[in-house]
Amino acid sequence: MSSASTEDSIELASLLEPYQNIDSETSDSLPLLSEQHVPFAESFSAPHHKRKATSIWTYPRVFKGRRKSAMEKLTSPRLRHYANKLAVESEPGLTNAQLMLTNHDLKPVEPERRKWGSWNFVGFWIADSFNINTWMISSAMIQGGLSWWQSWLCVWAGYFIAAIFICSTGRIGATYHISFPVVARASFGIWGSLWPVFNRAAMACIWYGVQSWIGGECVTLMIRAIWPSYNNIHNGIPGSGTTTRDFLSFFLFWAGSLPAIWFPVHKIRHLFTVKAYFVPAAGIAYFGWAIARAGGVGPIVHQPSKLHGSSLAWGVISGIMSSIANFATLIVNDPDFARFAKTPKSALWSQLFTIPLGFAITSFIGIIVSSSSDVIFHDGFIWNPLTLLGRFLDGANSGQRFGVFIIAAAFTLAQLGTNIAANSVSAGTDMTALLPRFLNIRRGGYICALVGLVMCPWNLLSTSNNFTTYLSAYSVFLSSIAGVIICDYYIVRKGYLELKNLYSAQPSSPYFYWWGWSWRGYTAYICGILINIVGFADAVGAKVPIGAVYIYRVNFFAGFIVSALVYYLLCRFFPIPAVSAVWCELPDAADRQFSVVYEGRPIDVPETLERDHDASSEDLEKGLRGGKAKETNLATDF
């Protein structure tokens, strides 16, 4: 050994000597040991640790290293093994708090996965527009007294307004390539964003079950078209709220949806491309078939409006609002898809024009087909396309049964695509944010499907006539979330986000606010709910003052405007950090492969320290007797 090495060893030995006989009191007063002393500390102290109960390993606070993760604190090796097996891939060197904020599915989408071009968004919305709910969107308006063309204009206006909101939230995702849970952190706080995320995840799971039940009705028609006797299958589960036939069809649809959840979001676009070709073609065939059997478009096109004056005005407003409310979840959800856009423009014009066009065409087909049903069967308008298809099967020949099978298959695919887009991906993304250490989008999607199965949706639909009304009305409260997020991004911050800090749980983060919660965001959110809460009670059957009913008729605008205005005023009088005085989007921020590990955190720690050592975040900021420890910094500033 050289003289220099001998001198270094003597110096380190004298440095470590005070740590050989320590207790809980003296350990707090001793300076921290840094990473550069690891090799010598192991050789010097480990034998002593075997002989005595106290050493520097007994009081690991004195060692300047990283805090043990929750995984490392598990005492059972078997439990630790299975926990590590369940954990999703994450960046090394993260704190426990950061492990609750980030994983691969939550970080900005890297350029290699940005596969959604303009035509992919066109196909996505054309595919999404051809579903049973959109088919029937005009039925309530016409039954409420509007003429067919007035209801159709409401659809155009409502979905064009919805498209503006869609593009507003989608631009955030398309620019910074982040999902809704991460976007919400800027306005609601790092931890405060979890409530809006949980709120939407729970609703997505419930809707997944309801939409799967409707998909099961499509499967029933497909099977009936092949085996008519399926309609008379013995009911072996009486008193369950459903029948053997309906449950089997529901389960077949539910099980058939599981493979679609497996594919990552940037690849699932191919499903919507197939749906965009097949489903509209089947819808147009259904349209032509109904007109041919009726010998015309039916009497509905000659039916005048039954409303006049203020009643007509409120009828039009209600029709527009119902179209927007039908899109409330997707307005908040759009960043989950838009973040995979190749460029921000890819998610702009394609969505702005395709949404009103696709949904207006689908609703028009629904109006004319339902009008024809009155001529064919002479017992009033049949608005539900599945009910009408079932009537087509009565006395049908083999060719007609084949036609019903193809159209029912198209509706089945339509329900599948809608369920994946509006519910599965949404719930999966939200659950990823709720427990990122163990959940990714795929796992969250399967949990959503499991909840949709065990919730027994047939009971919810059969025991309460107001259930679907409640779900539709409840989704309107998402307007207050959208109001806060859009106001924060476009008006308060003017497009400026610090991406790395959206994954930081440090108090110095501009999005940490008060213990991770933004009281401004929550105050605005609650105000947006309160303006609609009384009218919401009317929607589910309670008697309320007429003024509250009028406010609720413009529910989405009321919640959005109030929440956005309150948030702006609060930020004006109580300024928030990380804002820009001019428009300042950073579209290339997500292109830089940055690390979210806190600066100054050592990440290459020996196995011994992984097992036995701990240090507080305060300790990590201190040096050894005024010196600076060896640090490893992978973070990239921008």
Side-chain angles (χ1 to χ4, degrees):
M1 181 181 295
S2 65
S3 60
S5 300
T6 303
E7 292 175 1
D8 291 341
S9 299
I10 294 174
E11 181 181 353
L12 284 171
S14 62
L15 177 65
L16 292 169
E17 186 173 359
Y19 296 89
Q20 295 306 296
N21 294 285
I22 59 178
D23 53 30
S24 59
E25 294 182 0
T26 57
S27 69
D28 292 335
S29 62
L30 290 173
L32 299 176
L33 296 179
S34 66
E35 191 176 350
Q36 62 188 340
H37 303 117
V38 169
F40 191 85
E42 289 179 331
S43 62
F44 184 81
S45 301
H48 181 87
H49 175 55
K50 294 179 181 179
R51 297 193 303 268
K52 291 189 177 182
T54 57
S55 69
I56 67 172
W57 305 129
T58 306
Y59 298 95
R61 178 206 167 279
V62 300
F63 189 84
K64 183 180 186 298
R66 66 176 181 83
R67 179 184 296 274
K68 285 191 294 185
S69 70
M71 289 293 186
E72 297 160 357
K73 293 179 181 178
L74 293 175
T75 56
S76 170
R78 179 172 295 182
L79 185 60
R80 187 186 305 119
H81 169 76
Y82 287 117
N84 282 320
K85 286 290 186 181
L86 289 174
V88 299
E89 181 182 357
S90 60
E91 184 178 357
L94 300 179
T95 66
N96 289 332
Q98 283 183 300
L99 289 173
M100 291 296 295
L101 291 174
T102 183
N103 64 19
H104 177 69
D105 284 336
L106 285 174
K107 292 185 69 174
V109 176
E110 62 275 10
E112 293 75 18
R113 289 194 295 149
R114 299 173 196 168
K115 301 294 186 180
W116 285 55
S118 297
W119 287 108
N120 291 122
F121 283 100
V122 170
F124 174 82
W125 289 115
I126 290 177
D128 191 69
S129 66
F130 275 84
N131 62 71
I132 296 170
N133 193 34
T134 307
W135 191 282
M136 300 169 59
I137 193 69
S138 293
S139 63
M141 304 180 205
I142 295 176
Q143 291 173 344
L146 295 180
S147 65
W148 77 270
W149 64 268
Q150 289 171 339
S151 68
W152 198 45
L153 288 180
C154 290
V155 171
W156 273 101
Y159 280 100
F160 183 75
I161 295 171
I164 295 175
F165 285 115
I166 284 280
C167 293
S168 299
T169 57
R171 181 175 178 82
I172 308 174
T175 300
Y176 289 96
H177 303 283
I178 53 179
S179 59
F180 161 72
V182 181
V183 171
R185 293 173 183 174
S187 49
F188 287 95
I190 292 296
W191 306 121
S193 63
L194 294 180
W195 168 247
V197 168
F198 173 80
N199 195 26
R200 198 190 64 162
M203 292 304 300
C205 290
I206 295 174
W207 268 116
Y208 188 95
V210 173
Q211 295 284 7
S212 295
W213 182 255
I214 298 174
E217 295 178 354
C218 301
V219 173
T220 297
L221 284 174
M222 292 175 62
I223 300 176
R224 283 183 58 195
I226 302 174
W227 298 290
S229 59
Y230 181 74
N231 195 44
N232 302 317
I233 191 172
H234 172 69
N235 181 21
I237 49 175
S240 63
T242 184
T243 64
T244 300
R245 183 200 67 181
D246 292 342
F247 178 80
L248 178 59
S249 299
F250 162 70
F251 186 81
L252 289 173
F253 179 87
W254 179 86
S257 302
L258 297 181
I261 301 176
W262 178 266
F263 296 98
V265 180
H266 65 282
K267 293 183 178 180
I268 201 67
R269 69 188 189 279
H270 300 306
L271 169 66
F272 301 113
T273 301
V274 173
K275 181 183 171 186
Y277 285 104
F278 178 54
V279 178
I284 293 173
Y286 193 6
F287 174 76
W289 189 10
I291 292 179
R293 288 194 60 171
V297 294
I300 201 170
V301 296
H302 306 295
Q303 179 177 299
S305 173
K306 300 176 182 178
L307 302 178
H308 305 281
S310 61
S311 297
L312 176 60
W314 280 115
V316 171
I317 292 173
S318 296
I320 293 174
M321 288 297 107
S322 65
S323 299
I324 299 175
N326 191 43
F327 240 53
T329 54
L330 291 170
I331 288 173
V332 179
N333 177 46
D334 197 57
D336 295 343
F337 292 95
R339 66 185 178 131
F340 293 95
K342 294 179 180 178
T343 65
K345 285 187 178 180
S346 300
L348 178 58
W349 304 113
S350 56
Q351 298 192 98
L352 185 62
F353 294 113
T354 305
I355 290 172
L357 180 63
F359 283 83
I361 291 175
T362 303
S363 66
F364 176 77
I365 293 175
I367 292 171
I368 300 304
V369 171
S370 299
S371 175
S372 302
S373 66
D374 183 51
V375 177
I376 299 171
F377 299 105
H378 307 288
D379 55 359
F381 301 127
I382 302 176
W383 292 103
N384 190 322
L386 301 182
T387 303
L388 182 57
L389 270 181
R391 296 290 296 272
F392 279 12
L393 280 176
D394 296 337
N397 57 36
S398 59
Q400 291 171 331
R401 289 202 306 272
F402 177 75
V404 170
F405 176 85
I406 294 298
I407 296 173
F411 277 117
T412 302
L413 181 60
Q415 284 300 113
L416 171 63
T418 300
N419 226 8
I420 296 297
N423 300 319
S424 174
V425 171
S426 300
T429 305
D430 294 340
M431 291 183 192
T432 298
L434 294 175
L435 195 60
R437 187 70 181 96
F438 296 100
L439 295 180
N440 53 26
I441 294 178
R442 179 181 294 161
R443 293 180 182 180
Y446 283 117
I447 292 175
C448 174
L450 181 61
V451 173
L453 174 66
V454 301
M455 63 176 274
C456 302
W458 57 88
N459 286 331
L460 296 176
L461 293 173
S462 62
T463 57
S464 175
N465 293 329
N466 289 327
F467 180 71
T468 53
T469 302
Y470 169 77
L471 287 179
S472 299
Y474 184 83
S475 66
V476 173
F477 293 111
L478 294 174
S479 64
S480 57
I481 297 177
V484 172
I485 290 176
I486 291 176
C487 178
D488 177 76
Y489 183 79
Y490 288 95
I491 300 178
V492 176
R493 301 188 188 277
K494 294 182 173 59
Y496 176 70
L497 292 177
E498 296 181 3
L499 270 189
K500 186 175 178 181
N501 280 316
L502 289 172
Y503 302 90
S504 172
Q506 291 181 315
S508 59
S509 169
Y511 310 114
F512 193 78
Y513 301 112
W514 182 79
W515 294 96
W517 295 72
S518 171
W519 65 268
R520 302 170 188 83
Y522 268 89
T523 301
Y525 168 68
I526 293 172
C527 289
I529 290 177
L530 291 178
I531 194 67
N532 279 322
I533 195 68
V534 180
F536 172 69
D538 174 75
V540 293
K543 295 292 184 180
V544 300
I546 189 63
V549 176
Y550 287 148
I551 293 176
Y552 192 72
R553 288 179 180 176
V554 291
N555 42 37
F556 192 91
F557 286 132
F560 181 89
I561 293 173
V562 169
S563 61
L565 181 61
V566 170
Y567 185 78
Y568 171 76
L569 292 175
L570 290 175
C571 292
R572 183 68 181 268
F573 290 103
F574 304 95
I576 60 175
V579 299
S580 175
V582 296
W583 185 254
C584 186
E585 281 184 331
L586 301 175
D588 64 334
D591 296 341
R592 309 182 186 185
Q593 298 301 302
F594 61 86
S595 167
V596 298
V597 177
Y598 294 151
E599 295 184 20
R601 282 184 59 83
I603 62 171
D604 295 322
V605 183
E607 182 180 356
T608 305
L609 304 179
E610 294 260 342
R611 183 179 65 249
D612 295 320
H613 288 64
D614 198 357
S616 67
S617 57
E618 180 184 357
D619 296 338
L620 296 177
E621 298 175 359
K622 298 179 181 178
L624 175 61
R625 293 184 178 179
K628 186 176 181 180
K630 178 182 177 182
E631 298 175 349
T632 304
N633 178 22
L634 298 182
T636 302
D637 296 328
F638 45 79

